[in-house]
Amino acid sequence: MSVQDLRIEFPTRDRSQTVKAVDGVDFEVLRGETLGIIGESGSGKTTLGRALVSLVKPVSGRVLHGGTDLAILRGRELRRVRADYQIVFQDPNAALNPRMTILDSIIEPAEILGHGNDASRRRDGLDMLAQVGLALEVAGRYPHELSGGQKQRVNIARVLTVRPKVIVCDEVVAALDVSIRGSILNLFADLQRSFDLTYVFITHDISVVSHISDRIGVTYLGKLMELGPAEDVIDRPLHPYSQALLSAEPLPLPSNLRPTRRIILQGEIPSPLAPPSGCRFRTRCPIAEAKCAEEVPQWRQVRNGHWAACHFAREDGHSATGANCNDQKGGSNEDAE
Ligand SMILES: Nc1ncnc2c1ncn2[C@@H]1O[C@H](COP(=O)(O)OP(=O)(O)O)[C@@H](O)[C@H]1O
Ligand code: SF4
Ligand SMILES: [Mg+2]
């Protein structure tokens, strides 16, 4: 998938203002990868995920699916291509009809798309049930008879029946008990190999994103701040926002890769109704300078395959390592550990 200068806006309830939920992002989703998207609540992750599967229309820019702009497709052709791009939501109940049996829910998308016949769909549905680690007797149950983790497995089986190429996973383990998150993430990894899947894994949880991603993108107020190979983003983040996010988390990393200093972000995330001028992270950035209020930083490839939007990000990471925070801001944003 190729996302090109994508912008998505929503009117406020009284229609007097516009929320720029996604405000000009450019990136590619590579075949077979898991692209993790991380950012605080309200940074536009869900809207971006919905746009990737054509559930929301951009005001400008576009998403190409295998080189095709879905906006120009109609009817059967549109349904066929859209089926390749599926989404699983945070709420395990979101896609399950409480009055339908689990098997009926699982086969519903294939039925709508007219795949196979009734018997073949049921066979495939039962096979998918097994693929996601559920017993066959679950088939006849109703959603309220299942745990959150089991329902999320059903949701995965449901999207698999249409054999998608890409699955957008929006906070898929956030509503689940911590003790079962690992097993669901492992299931996603197993299914990726079995079904040759590409994932866009959206989460606010750094431990989830570092566990599963090949590449990581970092969003802030509707924009991408950084995108690169997962290890590189975690080990040597280029953007001050990523540095702060990563330094705040007890990551399951070897000690030589763990951030040594915690950067505490000052202040609240600004309103998306009125994002700061220039760099929208500048009101919380420990190394902001006058230029940051005047010029929007360019989205540029700073290292090989590693992109960032910061005036001072350089290949060696020097000007954005937080090393000069003390010099410029009296160290109020840093908490030595
Ligand atoms: N359907 C909608 N109508 C109005 N505003 C919306 C809608 N969906 C999202 N927003 C707004 O867009 C911004 C981004 O939201 P969202 O994409 O849900 O972010 P995230 O998933 O990162 O929390 C928020 O300010 C949110 O209130
Ligand atoms: S452009 Fe300026 S404000 Fe934005 S992240 Fe870089 S240093 Fe901070
Ligand atoms: Mg969200």
Side-chain angles (χ1 to χ4, degrees):
M1 273 189 285
S2 173
V3 178
Q4 301 174 352
D5 196 24
L6 190 73
R7 291 169 201 273
I8 298 161
E9 298 178 355
F10 299 109
T12 53
R13 203 165 278 177
D14 65 4
R15 306 206 155 254
S16 63
Q17 283 174 291
T18 304
V19 183
K20 293 179 174 172
V22 176
D23 199 14
V25 300
D26 285 90
F27 64 96
E28 310 263 312
V29 183
L30 310 175
R31 186 172 173 180
E33 76 168 340
T34 297
L35 173 62
I37 302 280
I38 181 121
E40 284 167 282
S41 176
S43 61
K45 304 182 300 298
T46 291
T47 307
L48 176 61
R50 288 165 59 85
L52 291 177
V53 297
S54 300
L55 284 178
V56 56
K57 265 206 179 131
V59 289
S60 67
R62 58 185 190 164
V63 181
L64 296 183
H65 295 80
T68 305
D69 186 350
L70 297 199
I72 63 165
L73 299 182
R74 295 283 175 272
R76 248 180 85 176
E77 184 67 1
L78 176 62
R79 279 201 299 280
R80 193 186 60 75
V81 178
R82 268 182 84 164
D84 288 340
Y85 303 86
Q86 295 289 325
I87 187 164
V88 178
F89 295 104
Q90 169 173 353
D91 177 3
N93 294 307
L96 299 179
N97 183 332
R99 283 179 291 279
M100 272 163 74
T101 66
I102 295 305
L103 184 59
D104 285 342
S105 278
I106 289 176
I107 63 180
E108 188 187 30
E111 201 171 1
I112 291 168
L113 284 163
H115 287 185
N117 56 39
D118 196 41
S120 69
R121 283 193 294 266
R122 295 184 86 77
R123 262 199 316 275
D124 193 52
L126 292 172
D127 183 31
M128 288 308 127
L129 205 58
Q131 293 273 359
V132 299
L134 290 173
L136 285 187
E137 54 101 8
V138 168
R141 291 206 216 160
Y142 289 87
H144 74 269
E145 298 173 299
L146 268 54
S147 70
Q150 287 174 318
K151 278 187 268 194
Q152 215 50 321
R153 287 175 190 265
V154 170
N155 285 319
I156 300 164
R158 194 179 134 87
V159 299
L160 286 176
T161 57
V162 300
R163 299 298 187 278
K165 291 179 178 158
V166 179
I167 303 180
V168 174
C169 306
D170 188 5
E171 306 274 12
V172 284
V173 294
L176 304 180
D177 213 75
V178 176
S179 60
I180 59 162
R181 284 183 192 172
S183 61
I184 299 287
L185 292 177
N186 289 339
L187 172 65
F188 272 102
D190 292 344
L191 294 171
Q192 182 165 45
R193 283 186 288 273
S194 311
F195 289 89
D196 195 17
L197 292 165
T198 302
Y199 291 141
V200 179
F201 224 91
I202 295 170
T203 173
H204 67 281
D205 185 338
I206 291 167
S207 63
V208 168
V209 93
S210 60
H211 185 95
I212 200 155
S213 308
D214 298 307
R215 294 192 303 151
I216 295 177
V218 182
T219 57
Y220 186 78
L221 273 180
K223 270 195 175 302
L224 269 179
M225 298 284 114
E226 176 157 4
L227 174 70
E231 270 183 36
D232 209 23
V233 171
I234 290 170
D235 182 14
R236 298 190 301 155
L238 288 167
H239 198 283
Y241 177 58
S242 321
Q243 289 166 2
L245 266 188
L246 289 162
S247 75
E249 282 288 320
L251 281 171
L253 293 173
S255 56
N256 60 326
L257 293 186
R258 256 180 245 143
T260 49
R261 278 179 303 181
R262 182 159 359 134
I263 305 165
I264 310 280
L265 282 181
Q266 307 280 302
E268 293 288 305
I269 186 165
S271 163
L273 291 170
S277 64
C279 174
R280 56 194 58 200
F281 182 56
R282 70 174 166 81
T283 52
R284 299 167 83 196
C285 180
I287 59 166
E289 295 184 11
K291 179 182 184 181
C292 304
E294 288 149 18
E295 283 176 40
V296 177
Q298 250 183 16
W299 180 236
R300 61 197 168 88
Q301 191 165 193
V302 180
R303 289 190 201 120
N304 195 12
H306 193 156
W307 298 67
C310 169
H311 293 309
F312 306 116
R314 279 201 287 270
E315 198 179 346
D316 58 12
H318 268 168
S319 64
T321 57
N324 49 355
C325 299
N326 283 336
D327 307 340
Q328 300 192 14
K329 284 277 166 111
S332 62
N333 292 36
E334 282 201 27
D335 177 13
E337 281 189 332

